[in-house]
Amino acid sequence: SKYALSFSNGTTACNALLYALGVKKNNKIIISKLTFPSIISTILRIGAIPIYLDFDKNLQIKFDVNDKLILDADFLLITHVYGIAQDYDKINIIKKINPKIILLEDISHAQGAKSRNKLVGTVGLGSFMSMQGDKAISAGEGGVVITSSDEVYNRMIYLSHLNRKSSNND
């Protein structure tokens, strides 16, 4: 990824990314039922609507390709739990059903994992992770957002890293 920004924890990293992407009240965000509770509370605090996907015995998301909720969703927030990468082929099916959907990824447990020969966290518009003490990459506490989007990076600088320099506020 082109950019990485640090935060006090993974929840604030998620929050900053959602705001930088323009998530607002009544936006619909598809998430797995198997995710960290602070992700759900962050979505609800913004006023967005979580749409829950079930998961199979391999912890991969499950969905019905004819589900109207996928077509109506604005965002897809994938959590790669326990170091197990979600299958990007399944994610691509969702993106084909709804081409306007914006993908973001929680990679808190899966840094370095790959799906279809792609590193998790590098396919969507942005990803975030916690660096809490029991994570594979630990700082005791902290969070990081990574993105290759100049626009997302600059919006995060503007919204949450006051007085930092970016290409739009030099």
Side-chain angles (χ1 to χ4, degrees), residues 143-156:
V144 174
V145 171
I146 61 173
T147 184
S148 289
S149 166
D150 295 334
E151 181 180 348
V152 171
Y153 169 75
N154 285 317
R155 290 196 76 205
M156 283 191 304

Side-chain angles (χ1 to χ4, degrees), residues 3 19 24 30-31 51 73 77 93 106-107 110 121 127 153 170:
Y3 301 108
Y19 276 108
K24 56 189 180 288
I30 296 173
I31 61 172
I51 299 168
L77 195 163
I93 291 169
D106 177 353
I107 61 169
S127 61
Y153 169 75
D170 291 335

Side-chain angles (χ1 to χ4, degrees), residues 31-84:
I31 61 172
S32 172
K33 287 181 179 179
L34 189 58
T35 192
F36 193 67
S38 73
I39 303 306
I40 298 165
S41 64
T42 299
I43 291 167
L44 293 172
R45 208 171 20 259
I46 291 172
I49 302 164
I51 299 168
Y52 298 100
L53 293 180
D54 211 346
F55 53 93
D56 65 20
K57 66 180 180 167
N58 297 315
L59 305 181
Q60 296 295 309
I61 56 172
K62 288 192 329 186
F63 55 91
D64 178 353
V65 294
N66 296 314
D67 192 339
K68 186 180 180 314
L69 291 174
I70 292 173
L71 192 58
D72 291 340
D74 303 293
F75 298 90
L76 172 60
L77 195 163
I78 293 299
T79 300
H80 302 280
V81 294
Y82 307 122
I84 301 168

Side-chain angles (χ1 to χ4, degrees), residues 7-8 28-29 46 58 65 69 72-73 102 110 130 152 158 165 167:
F7 292 87
S8 59
K28 294 178 180 113
I29 303 176
I46 291 172
N58 297 315
V65 294
L69 291 174
D72 291 340
I102 296 171
S130 165
V152 171
Y158 176 75
K165 298 289 184 189
S167 60

